[in-house]
Amino acid sequence: MALGFLVALEIAARGYGVRGPITDQAREVVFAPKSGTVLYASMALMLVVLTWRQRFLAVGAAIGIDLVFWLVRWAVGAEMMYGNGALLVTLACAVLALTRRTGRERTLLLQGVGLALLLVTGRKTGYTWLLITSQTRPTVLDPYVAAADQALGNPSWVVGRIVEATGVVGFRVLEFVYIQLAVMAVVVALYQLRNVAAERRFPRHHIVRTFLAIGLLGPGIYMVFPVVGPIFAYGADGGQWALAELWPHTPPPVTVPQPMPFDEFTPRNCMPSLHTAWATAIFIHSRKAPAALRWAGTFWLIATLGATLGFGYHYGADIVAGVVFTLTIDLALRTLDRGRDRTAIALVAHGSAVFVALLLSYRFLSLEMAEHPWVFGPLVVLSMVSVVYGYVRITKRWERRAAAVPVPQPRREPQPELV
């Protein structure tokens, strides 16, 4: 199914005259990658199935390969970037699993390689989806979301002025957090998967599953509810397509919203805010980690919210939808692992209903929301809080049940060498 989806996306991208996710990823075996950091972070996920000696060998080989690539690119004047070594080592481990491993060891190593490749392929898939949204959705619904955002106090305009007041330092900190969101997710994943090599199995649920599910389902919502964001629809970045240059100093006036035409290259990737969704996933999956990682998860969530709003990339309504979206997906994945839990299933249905209700409200009740903010603002927030409360309640119940059941000690098995 996943392969068929990637092939379909590749064909669709070719129809618009650009490389699809498969071709784009294959090129990075030789050509300069877009993000070497992501490739090394992905390789780090694969390393959780290896012993410490194997990890040192893999990292050393990746760095050595990158040094060779760097020297060749420097000599011929090509674009400089690292990461090819990490991708080649990951692919080499897949070959080793198929040719030198058998049974459970082969399965475990292939699972590690698959986890790494899913992360990098998911990123490429996201790029392709964004292109398709800009090519297939000539009009956007920003006026509707901007009107609905009046009920929340126009948070993008408020936070935008705050970020502007912090100057270069505040901007750079938020920019770093915003760009390196996937790296922070890998840090949390490495903590959750730290015992895989010893136990020879993956845990039932971890952050990578939630991250990939968000990335797979989120772009589909973009196709239904295309929005470009305040800095484009109401700011200088929108150029001739912007309704006016109002962001972040002047809130938009309350008028009857209408779909607005926009260019053919700006992604319609606002509703819901997937950066908020991923930051929320980092936050909830870091709650059982040591204090330093818990604080980092909290900081990443707050800073990501500041960046998404303060850079003008999202409206407050996008943020609320992103939180509900994440908690519903994460709870659904946890429920699948636990079988027929009626309470959990009901909460997943509740989260889905709240998410759909939010989108319908933004689309068909946005003017009413703007005219009656003291009614609709609390309702929007309370709908999100109801999902948060249900998520916390059910996960706490599962944790109490798990604590009451003794955990059997895994039997340690000899681990083969990498080569």
Side-chain angles (χ1 to χ4, degrees):
M1 182 181 296
L3 181 59
F5 173 76
L6 289 174
V7 171
L9 207 56
E10 180 77 24
I11 294 172
R14 291 288 179 174
Y16 293 108
V18 297
R19 294 188 299 268
I22 298 176
T23 307
D24 209 21
Q25 188 60 65
R27 290 183 79 257
E28 293 189 352
V29 173
V30 177
F31 294 96
K34 289 184 179 178
S35 175
T37 303
V38 170
L39 290 175
Y40 269 94
S42 301
M43 186 185 73
L45 289 179
M46 185 267 297
L47 297 182
V48 299
V49 305
L50 305 180
T51 65
W52 278 107
R53 181 178 179 275
Q54 294 166 352
R55 291 169 186 170
F56 285 124
L57 287 173
V59 173
I63 294 174
I65 293 171
D66 268 331
L67 287 175
V68 173
F69 271 85
W70 188 89
L71 290 173
V72 172
R73 286 176 180 144
W74 175 77
V76 300
E79 180 185 359
M80 304 300 291
M81 179 51 72
Y82 61 94
N84 302 87
L87 180 58
L88 286 169
V89 167
T90 301
L91 295 174
C93 286
V95 175
L96 285 172
L98 294 172
T99 59
R100 302 286 296 275
R101 299 287 182 267
T102 58
R104 180 59 187 159
E105 294 301 325
R106 170 185 287 178
T107 301
L108 190 67
L109 185 52
L110 286 176
Q111 285 178 329
V113 171
L115 200 63
L117 294 180
L118 277 174
L119 183 61
V120 295
T121 304
R123 192 178 180 92
K124 299 297 182 184
T125 300
Y127 292 147
T128 305
W129 262 119
L130 295 184
L131 169 71
I132 292 175
T133 64
S134 64
Q135 293 287 324
T136 61
R137 294 298 179 266
T139 61
V140 296
L141 303 178
D142 283 75
Y144 294 89
V145 185
D149 231 34
Q150 301 274 351
L152 299 174
N154 296 306
S156 182
W157 273 256
V158 175
V159 180
R161 292 193 296 270
I162 293 174
V163 171
E164 188 177 66
T166 63
V168 176
V169 175
F171 181 88
R172 293 302 180 193
V173 170
L174 294 181
E175 182 184 45
F176 174 81
V177 170
Y178 193 82
I179 293 174
Q180 301 300 337
L181 191 64
V183 176
M184 184 60 196
V186 170
V187 172
V188 175
L190 291 176
Y191 174 77
Q192 292 182 322
L193 304 177
R194 66 194 183 280
N195 295 324
V196 169
E199 297 177 358
R200 314 309 293 161
R201 64 179 179 85
F202 281 84
R204 289 191 301 178
H205 183 61
H206 50 82
I207 188 174
V208 180
R209 297 177 69 198
T210 304
F211 239 67
L212 292 173
I214 291 171
L216 178 64
L217 298 175
I221 311 300
Y222 296 160
M223 301 294 287
V224 177
F225 209 113
V227 182
V228 293
I231 198 170
F232 297 105
Y234 296 96
D237 287 21
Q240 63 177 345
W241 299 96
L243 291 176
E245 289 192 24
L246 302 176
W247 187 89
H249 299 289
T250 307
V254 178
T255 58
V256 177
Q258 296 289 335
M260 59 179 288
F262 216 76
D263 61 37
E264 297 181 353
F265 53 84
T266 301
R268 280 64 162 147
N269 62 337
C270 282
M271 182 63 70
S273 168
L274 293 197
H275 266 78
T276 298
W278 285 319
T280 303
I282 290 172
F283 176 79
I284 60 180
H285 280 270
S286 63
R287 293 309 87 195
K288 299 302 177 184
L293 197 52
R294 292 199 306 271
W295 280 106
T298 303
F299 169 76
W300 233 263
L301 175 60
I302 295 173
T304 300
L305 294 178
T308 55
L309 293 171
F311 292 164
Y313 295 152
H314 289 281
Y315 302 90
D318 307 334
I319 306 300
V320 174
V323 172
V324 173
F325 187 67
T326 300
L327 296 181
T328 303
I329 288 176
D330 193 77
L331 186 60
L333 292 173
R334 292 174 185 262
T335 303
L336 287 175
D337 294 331
R338 287 168 171 80
R340 298 174 63 87
D341 188 319
R342 292 183 178 180
T343 304
I345 293 173
L347 286 172
V348 171
H350 171 70
S352 302
V354 168
F355 181 74
V356 173
L358 288 172
L359 295 188
L360 292 176
S361 298
Y362 299 158
R363 177 61 177 82
F364 297 106
L365 296 174
S366 56
L367 186 59
E368 289 78 5
M369 294 176 72
E371 293 174 342
H372 305 285
W374 293 106
V375 175
F376 286 96
L379 285 176
V380 169
V381 174
L382 285 174
S383 67
M384 179 185 70
V385 170
S386 71
V387 177
V388 174
Y389 172 76
Y391 179 90
V392 172
R393 189 185 67 175
I394 193 68
T395 53
K396 290 289 186 183
R397 192 186 76 182
W398 286 337
E399 290 168 7
R400 288 194 298 269
R401 287 182 179 178
V405 178
V407 180
Q409 295 298 319
R411 181 171 62 89
R412 294 183 178 272
E413 299 177 0
Q415 302 174 12
E417 295 299 325
L418 185 61
V419 294

